[in-house]
Amino acid sequence: MPESRTRGVTIATIAAEAGVSVPTVSRVLNGRSDVAPHTRERIEQLLRDHGYRRRGVRPTTAARLVDLVFNDLDSPWAVEIIRGVEHAAHAEGVGTVVTAIHRRASDTRSWLDNLAARASDGAILVTSDVDPALHAELQRLHVPAVVVDPAGVPALDVPTIGATNWAGGLSATEHLIGLGHRRIGVIAGIPTLLCSRARLDGHRAAADAAGLTVDPGLVVVGDFNHESGFRAGVQLLDHPEPPTAVVAANDQMAYGVYEAVRRRGLRVPEDVSVVGFDDLPGARWASPPLTTVVQPLAEMGALAARTVLRLVRGEQLETPRLELATHLVVRESTAPPRAR
């Protein structure tokens, strides 16, 4: 067959000609048994006709290696995800490669090249968007992917593992309203992330249900780091009518609020109550211990690992979208507002 004909042949081309889905062709390529014999025969004939060859095909469907990809690795939040993935993968004798791509196209391209070179069996992407180009490349490499805490709405055939962020935002604000707070500041996360929008929407829903109006001046955007929490805390305390409580979209920004309150000569929770989100290991050791929404990060990582390994084995998922429950843990950073 002429080289010009074989060069552009993809798994999608084979699927279209066979009248089947791309995953079905992938299962045939990987030697899996869950394809009807006549369908398998038709696909194999098309593969032969097109001279299709997959590089690095292994004779077994057992995974040996999975990639875990973050945008950044500068947070204890990432450590919890890694802990869950590594625990679940290790239990099945699978190795884990951790990469940070820093939201750069060049780093993404380098990761894909390394992924192909080491013939990883699956990929777990964290707070990512699987754009069409990345999706197509993973399909070309026959590497199934799972997204943890997706940045936006992912492709329908990319499974996701998340948490009930809206419910978490709701419970945080309901707790403060129940204590008697009426002016509640919010430090929201990065607006482009789905989890940030969901947590803020949960706060607004709780305020609306209680008949409270959300003052736009009491909603400040942060970037999930301590410094942005500190800056946002200062901005909220500088408001002509400062809040008596603050909900931060993660624990690290909540710690930044602690510092802003301290520098004003005020105290948590006597002057300002603070609620975080995540329940990172340091939350219970903060001073005072932080009231926060528990996001089961390690469990999310473990579930993502088990899910991608199921895909490698060619198993059918019951649902492509899974959300683990959040819940509020009340510690000593929240109290009724002081009379003013």
Side-chain angles (χ1 to χ4, degrees):
M1 179 174 294
E3 183 182 357
S4 59
R5 181 181 171 191
T6 61
R7 183 179 295 167
V9 175
T10 67
I11 190 173
T13 304
I14 303 297
E17 290 193 23
V20 298
S21 67
V22 168
T24 299
V25 178
S26 181
R27 286 195 288 272
V28 171
L29 282 165
N30 286 298
R32 296 167 189 167
S33 59
D34 52 342
V35 180
H38 66 280
T39 302
R40 177 183 300 277
E41 183 178 350
R42 183 165 72 255
I43 292 170
E44 288 177 342
Q45 184 60 54
L46 284 167
L47 291 169
R48 288 192 295 269
D49 290 345
H50 283 285
Y52 186 95
R53 295 289 184 274
R54 178 192 171 191
R55 294 183 180 178
V57 176
R58 292 179 178 147
T60 175
T61 59
R64 297 288 182 268
L65 195 65
V66 295
D67 272 50
L68 175 58
V69 185
F70 292 86
N71 285 310
D72 296 292
L73 282 171
D74 56 358
S75 164
W77 179 93
V79 174
E80 291 300 295
I81 297 287
I82 294 170
R83 187 165 64 86
V85 170
E86 196 280 333
H87 179 77
H90 179 76
E92 298 203 32
V94 177
T96 306
V97 176
V98 180
T99 303
I101 58 175
H102 307 291
R103 298 180 176 85
R104 292 194 292 257
S106 59
D107 285 358
T108 301
R109 181 66 261 171
S110 177
W111 166 67
L112 285 168
D113 291 342
N114 290 331
L115 178 79
R118 60 178 165 259
S120 283
D121 299 282
I124 300 169
L125 311 174
V126 184
T127 58
S128 174
D129 274 324
V130 181
D131 61 48
L134 177 57
H135 191 202
E137 185 67 6
L138 290 171
Q139 285 189 322
R140 186 184 70 80
L141 295 171
H142 313 296
V143 175
V146 174
V147 177
V148 176
D149 203 8
V153 180
L156 291 176
D157 58 346
V158 178
T160 63
I161 309 295
T164 54
N165 289 293
W166 184 90
L170 181 82
S171 64
T173 300
E174 284 182 336
H175 168 65
L176 293 172
I177 292 172
L179 290 173
H181 294 277
R182 295 297 178 266
R183 287 191 61 75
I184 301 172
V186 179
I187 304 177
I190 300 169
T192 55
L193 296 181
L194 197 60
C195 64
S196 301
R197 300 195 297 271
R199 293 171 195 178
L200 181 56
D201 287 345
H203 163 74
R204 287 172 169 153
D208 183 66
L212 302 179
T213 300
V214 177
D215 181 349
L218 295 184
V219 179
V220 184
V221 174
D223 63 7
F224 291 123
N225 291 315
H226 296 89
E227 292 82 359
S228 71
F230 171 73
R231 291 192 298 269
V234 169
Q235 184 175 335
L236 290 170
L237 293 174
D238 281 342
H239 193 281
E241 295 182 63
T244 60
V246 175
V247 176
N250 76 335
D251 290 351
Q252 288 176 275
M253 293 195 297
Y255 301 149
V257 176
Y258 273 31
E259 180 62 12
V261 171
R262 185 191 70 81
R263 292 196 188 185
R264 290 299 173 89
L266 303 174
R267 293 188 297 169
V268 176
E270 289 84 357
D271 300 297
V272 181
S273 288
V274 180
V275 180
F277 203 111
D278 283 337
D279 194 32
L280 296 173
R284 68 185 63 190
W285 303 108
S287 182
L290 180 65
T291 294
T292 187
V293 176
V294 177
Q295 182 175 203
L297 297 169
E299 290 85 349
M300 289 163 63
L303 181 56
R306 289 193 292 268
T307 299
V308 81
L309 293 177
R310 287 186 63 189
L311 293 174
V312 170
R313 292 191 294 266
E315 297 178 18
Q316 192 72 27
L317 302 181
E318 292 76 18
T319 174
R321 304 284 179 263
L322 290 172
E323 287 190 342
L324 300 186
T326 57
H327 67 275
L328 184 75
V329 58
V330 178
R331 297 193 180 103
E332 297 170 33
S333 66
T334 52
R338 176 180 290 177
R340 295 182 177 178

